[in-house]
Amino acid sequence: MAKVYALIADGSEEIESLAPVDLLRRANVDTKIVSVCGRTVTGSHGIKIESDALIGEVDLTDADLLFIPGGMPGSVILAEHRGVTSAVRNMLDKGKRVAAICAAPALVLGAHGFLRGIKAVCFPGYEDKMIGAVLQADARFVTDGTVTTARGFGCATDLGLELVRLLAGESIAEALKQKIQYRE
């Protein structure tokens, strides 16, 4: 079974954090919410999220996918956390998956040079931080190799379903779309 660590910090956007986690868990993908701040995180809109673990309690590199939500100042906190950027580098070096949404593709991945030559999207206005990325202006989400990026809150379900497809398979993703009444 695939293993996912969803990284959160104070100020992470709640829907971007939880919609993909919910969909992955519905698909029986082992998904843990990992905080870099404390056991309970306050999202960007004041909603409390209880993490499953703190960053020091897990080996991020044993995941099949690291997922990084957007939100402010959560994206900045995650981008500045050495454990997060080190784990992203390690995952990509090993050919493992990394996914990010909203400002996180720009601040966590792009600003650190992880998107060079990779097709990607981010929240509008952060494109200047997408160092070396091949921007996909009209896409809601993009998977290029082992990197998946999504535009923002309104694309959180799309991203979650794409991650399910990548980790659990097309048939499980399609069944989940029907179950949740998803319409493209």
Side-chain angles (χ1 to χ4, degrees), residues 79-90:
E80 293 175 351
H81 194 285
R82 289 183 193 264
V84 171
T85 55
S86 175
V88 168
R89 181 179 320 282
N90 191 297

Side-chain angles (χ1 to χ4, degrees), residues 92-110:
L92 294 173
D93 286 349
K94 290 183 175 181
K96 292 185 172 185
R97 295 194 175 282
V98 174
I101 186 171
C102 195
L107 299 179
V108 180
L109 303 180

Side-chain angles (χ1 to χ4, degrees), residues 21-102:
V21 167
D22 178 280
L23 291 164
L24 287 160
R25 287 183 177 181
R26 287 174 191 244
N28 294 313
V29 174
D30 180 12
T31 305
K32 301 284 187 271
I33 299 171
V34 178
S35 170
V36 302
C37 293
R39 189 66 64 188
T40 302
V41 166
T42 302
S44 60
H45 297 92
I47 299 170
K48 305 280 187 203
I49 302 170
E50 190 74 19
S51 67
D52 298 308
L54 299 175
I55 192 166
E57 298 172 344
V58 297
D59 177 2
L60 295 179
T61 62
D62 74 357
D64 297 292
L65 171 98
L66 287 183
F67 165 57
I68 307 162
M72 287 299 182
S75 292
V76 172
I77 293 169
L78 292 167
E80 293 175 351
H81 194 285
R82 289 183 193 264
V84 171
T85 55
S86 175
V88 168
R89 181 179 320 282
N90 191 297
M91 294 289 286
L92 294 173
D93 286 349
K94 290 183 175 181
K96 292 185 172 185
R97 295 194 175 282
V98 174
I101 186 171
C102 195

